Amino acid sequence: MSLLCETPDPSRRAILMTGGALFAWAYMPRFARAADNRDPRLIVIVLRGALDGLSAVGPVGDPDYAGLHGDIALSLAGPHAALPLDGFFALNPAMPVFARLYGNNQAAVVHAAATGYRERSHFDGQDVLESGFAGPGHVTTGWLNRALESLPAGDRVATLGGLAVGPSTPLVIRGAAPVLGWAPLSLPTPGDGLAARVLDLYQHRDPVLAVALQKGLDADRMAVDDKMGKTMKPKGGLDSAAGMRQAAQGAARLIAADDGPRVAALAFDGWDTHVNEGGATGRLATLLGGLYGVFEEFEKGLGERWKDTAIVTITEFGRTAQVNGTVGTDHGTGTVVLLAGGAIKGGRVIADWPGLKPAQLYEQRDLAPTSDVRAVLKGLLADQFGLSAAVLGDKVFPDSAAVKPMRGLVA
């Protein structure tokens, strides 16, 4: 793996409802309080479909960038100018909140990053990304759940379990460790047995929380039946800007709680941009606007816990450096990892930039990866939760001892 360096400058007590959504509990967390003032949290956001890292964070200082990426390349000029990060990279203008966090040293970018997977299948790529194994075919447990399992017995992070947000539990957080699952857009019926059991448990242990949950059930009940016996549609799916923001808003309220999960995984679909991708405007910019809403909702919703929080956004692979015939991009390799949160040592783009000349591209078509996504994830797990390099290389990311944790990501 190439040596990483900073790019040189060339010139979750929470209200358990949101938008009428019911939290479906797979685990009832026990109360725990940090013995010191630091109470770390890690939020993993998976973008399924493959993010075009060159249109999210554009290497505007690379002389070959504009010619390769064509009409969807970012530019520092014009009505939709990119937001400068340093003298070489600029951020898609659809992400002003991320730019502000970057300026406040609470966001960073790892560019030209990829897993060890070098094919271009979404299914296999997502399997590798979320399972943490070197190759596809491992769909039983995920690296984030194995990280929870690897914490010492009695550790409050492990005791409180994890949170999974999505229509189904994302692979990254599946496993033996306790996980609380929430499907904000796929809801149980308010009067079903699950809801009754959850209410009964909380009425005995936490009446205040039970009242909040009852309000959520009432909101669900009001949302059902538009006088034709049909359930009203939610504001948006998890592949929409509104749906992403809604999911983050509810998750933040739970993660911020004293007895809420310290680890969470959210999965958002829809990032496969073969046709009419757009750059500073268009489809990709709309999706990135939803992602900026996710960062904003976590920053607001976590409150004082924001300072101890690290958010990492990952995707299965990148997209081609050159635009295709339908003004989109095809499946590629290198892309970006986005980091945000009060715990992040931000204000920097971390990259060993490979260049975009034909001979510098991976297979003469993709941004060549010079850093391993697993190194980033290992670094966060080590800095936030104290997991050793040996545990990370053997159990959390099996057979990856050669991939060293990227240290110094947490302030």
Side-chain angles (χ1 to χ4, degrees):
M1 184 183 71
S2 299
L3 176 67
L4 295 173
C5 62
E6 292 186 38
T7 303
D9 187 347
S11 54
R12 135 103 89 164
R13 212 176 257 157
I15 296 176
L16 300 182
M17 52 101 177
T18 179
L22 171 66
F23 288 89
W25 297 77
Y27 175 70
M28 307 302 293
R30 289 176 283 171
F31 181 81
R33 185 177 298 277
D36 52 27
N37 290 328
R38 192 166 184 271
D39 194 1
R41 286 153 170 80
L42 177 63
I43 299 167
V44 178
I45 299 173
V46 179
L47 305 181
R48 292 180 176 156
L51 169 66
D52 181 0
L54 293 173
S55 286
V57 182
V60 295
D62 190 309
D64 298 293
Y65 171 58
L68 272 175
H69 231 47
D71 291 341
I72 67 174
L74 302 181
S75 172
L76 296 175
H80 303 288
L83 308 172
L85 295 179
D86 57 19
F88 191 83
F89 292 102
L91 183 70
N92 193 294
M95 300 185 71
V97 169
F98 190 89
R100 173 176 57 78
L101 293 172
Y102 183 96
N104 292 337
N105 297 325
Q106 294 184 353
V109 179
V110 181
H111 218 315
T115 67
Y117 178 72
R118 291 294 178 268
E119 302 302 323
R120 295 181 173 88
S121 161
H122 286 302
F123 301 104
D124 289 346
Q126 290 165 15
D127 181 357
V128 171
L129 178 73
E130 298 187 53
S131 72
F133 284 81
H138 304 274
V139 294
T140 304
T141 67
W143 61 262
L144 188 55
N145 195 285
R146 293 196 301 274
L148 285 173
E149 285 188 84
S150 300
L151 293 170
D155 183 279
R156 68 178 179 275
V157 177
T159 299
L160 292 167
L163 171 67
V165 180
S168 61
T169 301
L171 172 60
V172 68
I173 202 168
R174 292 183 201 163
V179 173
L180 177 158
W182 174 39
L185 305 175
S186 179
L187 311 178
T189 304
D192 73 4
L194 171 62
R197 289 195 301 274
V198 172
L199 266 177
D200 180 68
L201 283 168
Y202 269 86
Q203 283 167 347
H204 284 87
R205 97 185 218 116
D206 193 333
V208 175
L209 205 54
V211 170
L213 181 58
Q214 182 64 66
K215 289 180 180 179
L217 294 172
D218 290 343
D220 276 334
R221 193 171 289 109
M222 291 173 64
V224 176
D225 192 66
D226 60 0
K227 295 186 179 181
M228 295 180 64
K230 297 179 180 178
T231 302
M232 295 172 63
K233 294 181 179 179
K235 286 190 288 185
L238 293 182
D239 59 351
S240 73
M244 284 189 273
R245 182 181 284 270
Q246 181 182 2
Q249 185 181 58
R253 290 173 178 170
L254 183 58
I255 299 167
D258 285 347
D259 60 352
R262 269 41 176 182
V263 168
L266 298 82
F268 299 135
D269 297 324
W271 297 80
D272 196 11
T273 51
H274 286 285
V275 179
N276 295 327
E277 177 182 314
T281 62
R283 179 184 169 193
L284 178 61
T286 298
L287 288 168
L288 290 172
L291 185 59
Y292 114 70
V294 169
F295 295 133
E296 185 173 49
E297 292 300 334
F298 276 123
E299 182 187 22
K300 291 190 302 184
L302 289 173
E304 67 179 52
R305 299 307 182 189
W306 174 255
K307 71 182 190 306
D308 295 328
T309 297
I311 304 173
V312 57
T313 303
I314 53 178
T315 190
E316 64 260 37
F317 43 68
R319 309 196 70 84
T320 49
Q322 190 165 12
V323 179
N324 62 25
T326 56
V327 199
T329 52
D330 299 319
H331 299 174
T333 308
T335 185
V336 292
V337 176
L338 301 177
L339 305 171
I344 294 297
K345 184 180 179 181
R348 55 196 177 132
V349 178
I350 304 168
D352 178 8
W353 190 245
L356 294 174
K357 295 185 183 304
Q360 296 170 325
L361 297 175
Y362 178 73
E363 296 186 343
Q364 298 188 329
R365 55 172 278 166
D366 305 337
L367 175 64
T370 57
S371 62
D372 196 310
V373 172
R374 291 171 295 180
V376 181
L377 302 175
K378 285 182 176 185
L380 291 173
L381 290 169
D383 289 349
Q384 283 292 77
F385 304 130
L387 290 174
S388 70
V391 168
L392 290 167
D394 180 44
K395 183 172 181 179
V396 180
F397 296 95
D399 302 317
S400 70
V403 179
K404 304 303 180 184
M406 188 183 296
R407 306 308 296 259
L409 298 175
V410 171

